[in-house]
Amino acid sequence: MSIIDAVLLAIVQGLTEFLPVSSSGHLVLGRKLLGVANPGNVAFEVVVHFGTFLAVLLVFWSDIKSLLTSLLKGLSHPDQLKTIYHTDPQFHLASMMIIGMIPAGIVGVLFQDQLEALFADPKLVAGMLVLTGVFLFFTKWVKAPHNELNPGRSFLIGVAQAFAIIPGISRSGSTISTAMYLGIERIQAARFSFIMVLPLVFGAMLLQAFKMNDAGLTSLEFKSLAIGLIVSFLVGCAALKWLMGILERGRFHWFGYYCLLVGIVGLIFV
């Protein structure tokens, strides 16, 4: 992989990891269009995902710190868990995130090999992008929020996240949209979506890292990885803040048009 390819794919990862347009789908289509074969090992994808992982930590650090503090405080008093669950909003939210992680964690572990095979089918990816576009488009008519996160709604958002393991289905798009359809306020839905996925992303990165070849990296490979990390982090921070602004203005459904366009073009030309 050349330096230019590394920069372009890292930009794609940084933008599409948070924007509801499917980062995995864009990486599959991007490699196809650039003529870049899937690397001999998974080092590059691990590195660019780590870059966007760090972006979430930076942008939502105050929220993450508050959630972790409340969660550790609650777990240190197991005899008071029920009271803390009902009186501490941050502990309640952390509990909902744990519930939301369950479906994707189960699917990722049980069907890892089958899911990885899907990344070799650009036509499938394009079709899933069309599906994502339709799902996003209909958020235009979502009514004003009136519900709070509870175990049932959190689990359903988690199910949407599990489906998003399929390349071409946007994880952020499916989880935020599902939360909005369930009546959750859109900014709360976004925070829930991005923070909830951090443990799953970290676990996936570890699993992928174990698959890396033990052979040493060449100078070009090392530079590509370093550039990929930096670019995906910087672009990811910008994309995440941009998305939060779009959500505040109620324009989330705009991404539906984009996904429909890219998916249809992919079905025709890839």
Short mmCIF file of all heavy atoms in Angstrom, two decimals, residues 164-197:
data_model
loop_
_atom_site.label_atom_id
_atom_site.label_comp_id
_atom_site.label_asym_id
_atom_site.label_seq_id
_atom_site.Cartn_x
_atom_site.Cartn_y
_atom_site.Cartn_z
N ALA A 164 -25.55 -4.10 12.05
CA ALA A 164 -24.59 -3.21 11.39
C ALA A 164 -23.21 -3.84 11.26
O ALA A 164 -22.32 -3.23 10.66
CB ALA A 164 -24.50 -1.88 12.13
N ILE A 165 -23.01 -5.03 11.79
CA ILE A 165 -21.74 -5.73 11.56
C ILE A 165 -21.64 -6.11 10.09
O ILE A 165 -20.54 -6.25 9.54
CB ILE A 165 -21.64 -6.99 12.46
CG1 ILE A 165 -21.63 -6.56 13.94
CG2 ILE A 165 -20.39 -7.80 12.14
CD1 ILE A 165 -21.62 -7.72 14.92
N ILE A 166 -22.78 -6.24 9.41
CA ILE A 166 -22.78 -6.50 7.97
C ILE A 166 -22.23 -5.27 7.24
O ILE A 166 -22.73 -4.16 7.46
CB ILE A 166 -24.21 -6.80 7.46
CG1 ILE A 166 -24.78 -8.02 8.18
CG2 ILE A 166 -24.23 -7.00 5.95
CD1 ILE A 166 -26.25 -8.27 7.87
N PRO A 167 -21.20 -5.41 6.41
CA PRO A 167 -20.64 -4.25 5.72
C PRO A 167 -21.66 -3.59 4.81
O PRO A 167 -22.39 -4.26 4.08
CB PRO A 167 -19.47 -4.84 4.91
CG PRO A 167 -19.81 -6.29 4.76
CD PRO A 167 -20.53 -6.66 6.02
N GLY A 168 -21.73 -2.29 4.88
CA GLY A 168 -22.69 -1.53 4.09
C GLY A 168 -23.84 -1.01 4.93
O GLY A 168 -24.50 -0.05 4.56
N ILE A 169 -24.08 -1.63 6.08
CA ILE A 169 -25.07 -1.12 7.02
C ILE A 169 -24.34 -0.26 8.05
O ILE A 169 -23.44 -0.75 8.74
CB ILE A 169 -25.84 -2.25 7.73
CG1 ILE A 169 -26.66 -3.03 6.70
CG2 ILE A 169 -26.76 -1.69 8.81
CD1 ILE A 169 -27.49 -4.14 7.30
N SER A 170 -24.68 1.00 8.11
CA SER A 170 -23.99 1.92 9.00
C SER A 170 -24.31 1.63 10.46
O SER A 170 -25.49 1.54 10.84
CB SER A 170 -24.39 3.37 8.67
OG SER A 170 -23.98 4.25 9.70
N ARG A 171 -23.27 1.47 11.27
CA ARG A 171 -23.50 1.25 12.70
C ARG A 171 -24.11 2.48 13.35
O ARG A 171 -25.14 2.39 14.04
CB ARG A 171 -22.18 0.89 13.39
CG ARG A 171 -22.37 0.32 14.81
CD ARG A 171 -21.16 0.56 15.68
NE ARG A 171 -20.98 1.98 15.93
CZ ARG A 171 -21.63 2.67 16.86
NH1 ARG A 171 -22.52 2.07 17.61
NH2 ARG A 171 -21.41 3.95 17.02
N SER A 172 -23.48 3.64 13.15
CA SER A 172 -24.04 4.85 13.77
C SER A 172 -25.40 5.18 13.18
O SER A 172 -26.31 5.61 13.89
CB SER A 172 -23.07 6.03 13.58
OG SER A 172 -22.91 6.35 12.21
N GLY A 173 -25.56 4.95 11.87
CA GLY A 173 -26.84 5.23 11.25
C GLY A 173 -27.95 4.35 11.79
O GLY A 173 -29.05 4.83 12.10
N SER A 174 -27.68 3.06 11.93
CA SER A 174 -28.72 2.14 12.40
C SER A 174 -29.04 2.35 13.86
O SER A 174 -30.22 2.31 14.26
CB SER A 174 -28.29 0.69 12.14
OG SER A 174 -27.11 0.38 12.85
N THR A 175 -28.02 2.59 14.70
CA THR A 175 -28.28 2.75 16.13
C THR A 175 -28.96 4.08 16.45
O THR A 175 -29.91 4.13 17.23
CB THR A 175 -26.99 2.61 16.95
OG1 THR A 175 -25.99 3.52 16.42
CG2 THR A 175 -26.45 1.20 16.89
N ILE A 176 -28.46 5.16 15.85
CA ILE A 176 -29.07 6.47 16.11
C ILE A 176 -30.49 6.51 15.55
O ILE A 176 -31.42 7.01 16.20
CB ILE A 176 -28.21 7.61 15.53
CG1 ILE A 176 -26.85 7.67 16.24
CG2 ILE A 176 -28.93 8.95 15.67
CD1 ILE A 176 -25.88 8.65 15.62
N SER A 177 -30.67 5.99 14.34
CA SER A 177 -32.02 5.98 13.75
C SER A 177 -32.98 5.14 14.59
O SER A 177 -34.12 5.56 14.84
CB SER A 177 -31.96 5.41 12.33
OG SER A 177 -31.22 6.24 11.47
N THR A 178 -32.54 3.96 15.00
CA THR A 178 -33.40 3.11 15.83
C THR A 178 -33.79 3.82 17.12
O THR A 178 -34.96 3.78 17.54
CB THR A 178 -32.70 1.78 16.15
OG1 THR A 178 -32.43 1.08 14.93
CG2 THR A 178 -33.55 0.91 17.06
N ALA A 179 -32.82 4.47 17.76
CA ALA A 179 -33.11 5.21 18.98
C ALA A 179 -34.13 6.33 18.71
O ALA A 179 -35.05 6.54 19.51
CB ALA A 179 -31.83 5.79 19.56
N MET A 180 -33.97 7.02 17.59
CA MET A 180 -34.92 8.08 17.25
C MET A 180 -36.31 7.51 17.00
O MET A 180 -37.32 8.06 17.43
CB MET A 180 -34.42 8.85 16.03
CG MET A 180 -33.18 9.70 16.31
SD MET A 180 -32.45 10.43 14.81
CE MET A 180 -33.77 11.54 14.28
N TYR A 181 -36.38 6.36 16.29
CA TYR A 181 -37.68 5.72 16.05
C TYR A 181 -38.33 5.28 17.36
O TYR A 181 -39.57 5.22 17.46
CB TYR A 181 -37.51 4.50 15.14
CG TYR A 181 -37.19 4.84 13.70
CD1 TYR A 181 -36.17 4.16 13.03
CD2 TYR A 181 -37.89 5.81 13.02
CE1 TYR A 181 -35.86 4.46 11.71
CE2 TYR A 181 -37.59 6.12 11.70
CZ TYR A 181 -36.57 5.44 11.05
OH TYR A 181 -36.28 5.74 9.75
N LEU A 182 -37.50 4.99 18.36
CA LEU A 182 -38.02 4.58 19.67
C LEU A 182 -38.35 5.78 20.56
O LEU A 182 -38.75 5.60 21.71
CB LEU A 182 -37.00 3.68 20.38
CG LEU A 182 -36.77 2.30 19.76
CD1 LEU A 182 -35.59 1.60 20.42
CD2 LEU A 182 -38.03 1.45 19.86
N GLY A 183 -38.17 6.98 20.02
CA GLY A 183 -38.53 8.18 20.76
C GLY A 183 -37.45 8.76 21.63
O GLY A 183 -37.72 9.56 22.53
N ILE A 184 -36.18 8.39 21.40
CA ILE A 184 -35.07 8.93 22.17
C ILE A 184 -34.57 10.22 21.51
O ILE A 184 -34.45 10.29 20.29
CB ILE A 184 -33.91 7.91 22.25
CG1 ILE A 184 -34.42 6.55 22.75
CG2 ILE A 184 -32.79 8.44 23.14
CD1 ILE A 184 -35.06 6.59 24.11
N GLU A 185 -34.30 11.23 22.31
CA GLU A 185 -33.80 12.51 21.79
C GLU A 185 -32.51 12.27 21.01
O GLU A 185 -31.65 11.51 21.43
CB GLU A 185 -33.57 13.47 22.96
CG GLU A 185 -33.36 14.91 22.56
CD GLU A 185 -31.91 15.21 22.22
OE1 GLU A 185 -31.03 14.59 22.86
OE2 GLU A 185 -31.66 16.03 21.32
N ARG A 186 -32.37 12.93 19.84
CA ARG A 186 -31.31 12.58 18.89
C ARG A 186 -29.89 12.79 19.42
O ARG A 186 -28.99 12.00 19.09
CB ARG A 186 -31.52 13.33 17.57
CG ARG A 186 -31.64 14.83 17.67
CD ARG A 186 -31.89 15.43 16.29
NE ARG A 186 -32.06 16.87 16.34
CZ ARG A 186 -33.23 17.50 16.41
NH1 ARG A 186 -34.34 16.79 16.42
NH2 ARG A 186 -33.29 18.82 16.45
N ILE A 187 -29.64 13.84 20.22
CA ILE A 187 -28.29 14.04 20.76
C ILE A 187 -27.97 12.96 21.79
O ILE A 187 -26.86 12.41 21.82
CB ILE A 187 -28.16 15.44 21.39
CG1 ILE A 187 -28.41 16.52 20.33
CG2 ILE A 187 -26.78 15.61 22.01
CD1 ILE A 187 -27.44 16.47 19.16
N GLN A 188 -28.95 12.62 22.62
CA GLN A 188 -28.76 11.54 23.57
C GLN A 188 -28.53 10.22 22.83
O GLN A 188 -27.70 9.40 23.24
CB GLN A 188 -29.98 11.40 24.49
CG GLN A 188 -29.80 10.32 25.56
CD GLN A 188 -31.06 10.11 26.39
OE1 GLN A 188 -32.14 10.53 26.00
NE2 GLN A 188 -30.92 9.47 27.53
N ALA A 189 -29.25 10.03 21.72
CA ALA A 189 -29.09 8.82 20.92
C ALA A 189 -27.67 8.72 20.36
O ALA A 189 -27.07 7.64 20.34
CB ALA A 189 -30.10 8.82 19.77
N ALA A 190 -27.12 9.85 19.92
CA ALA A 190 -25.77 9.86 19.35
C ALA A 190 -24.72 9.55 20.42
O ALA A 190 -23.81 8.74 20.19
CB ALA A 190 -25.48 11.21 18.70
N ARG A 191 -24.84 10.18 21.57
CA ARG A 191 -23.88 9.91 22.65
C ARG A 191 -23.95 8.44 23.05
O ARG A 191 -22.92 7.79 23.26
CB ARG A 191 -24.17 10.80 23.86
CG ARG A 191 -23.83 12.28 23.65
CD ARG A 191 -23.76 12.99 25.00
NE ARG A 191 -23.37 14.38 24.82
CZ ARG A 191 -24.23 15.41 24.81
NH1 ARG A 191 -25.53 15.18 24.94
NH2 ARG A 191 -23.79 16.65 24.66
N PHE A 192 -25.16 7.92 23.18
CA PHE A 192 -25.35 6.52 23.54
C PHE A 192 -24.69 5.62 22.50
O PHE A 192 -23.98 4.67 22.84
CB PHE A 192 -26.84 6.22 23.63
CG PHE A 192 -27.17 4.83 24.10
CD1 PHE A 192 -27.20 4.54 25.45
CD2 PHE A 192 -27.46 3.82 23.20
CE1 PHE A 192 -27.50 3.26 25.90
CE2 PHE A 192 -27.76 2.55 23.63
CZ PHE A 192 -27.79 2.26 24.99
N SER A 193 -24.90 5.93 21.23
CA SER A 193 -24.37 5.11 20.14
C SER A 193 -22.84 5.07 20.13
O SER A 193 -22.23 4.01 20.05
CB SER A 193 -24.88 5.64 18.80
OG SER A 193 -24.22 5.02 17.72
N PHE A 194 -22.22 6.25 20.23
CA PHE A 194 -20.76 6.31 20.07
C PHE A 194 -20.01 5.81 21.30
O PHE A 194 -18.95 5.19 21.16
CB PHE A 194 -20.34 7.74 19.74
CG PHE A 194 -20.77 8.19 18.37
CD1 PHE A 194 -21.51 9.35 18.20
CD2 PHE A 194 -20.46 7.44 17.25
CE1 PHE A 194 -21.91 9.76 16.94
CE2 PHE A 194 -20.86 7.83 15.99
CZ PHE A 194 -21.58 9.00 15.83
N ILE A 195 -20.53 6.07 22.48
CA ILE A 195 -19.85 5.60 23.69
C ILE A 195 -20.08 4.11 23.90
O ILE A 195 -19.17 3.37 24.29
CB ILE A 195 -20.29 6.41 24.91
CG1 ILE A 195 -19.93 7.89 24.73
CG2 ILE A 195 -19.64 5.86 26.18
CD1 ILE A 195 -20.43 8.80 25.83
N MET A 196 -21.29 3.63 23.60
CA MET A 196 -21.62 2.22 23.78
C MET A 196 -20.70 1.30 23.00
O MET A 196 -20.37 0.19 23.44
CB MET A 196 -23.07 1.98 23.36
CG MET A 196 -23.49 0.53 23.28
SD MET A 196 -25.20 0.30 22.72
CE MET A 196 -25.13 0.94 21.05
N VAL A 197 -20.26 1.75 21.83
CA VAL A 197 -19.50 0.86 20.95
C VAL A 197 -18.02 0.76 21.33
O VAL A 197 -17.32 -0.14 20.86
CB VAL A 197 -19.62 1.33 19.48
CG1 VAL A 197 -18.72 2.52 19.20
CG2 VAL A 197 -19.32 0.19 18.51
#
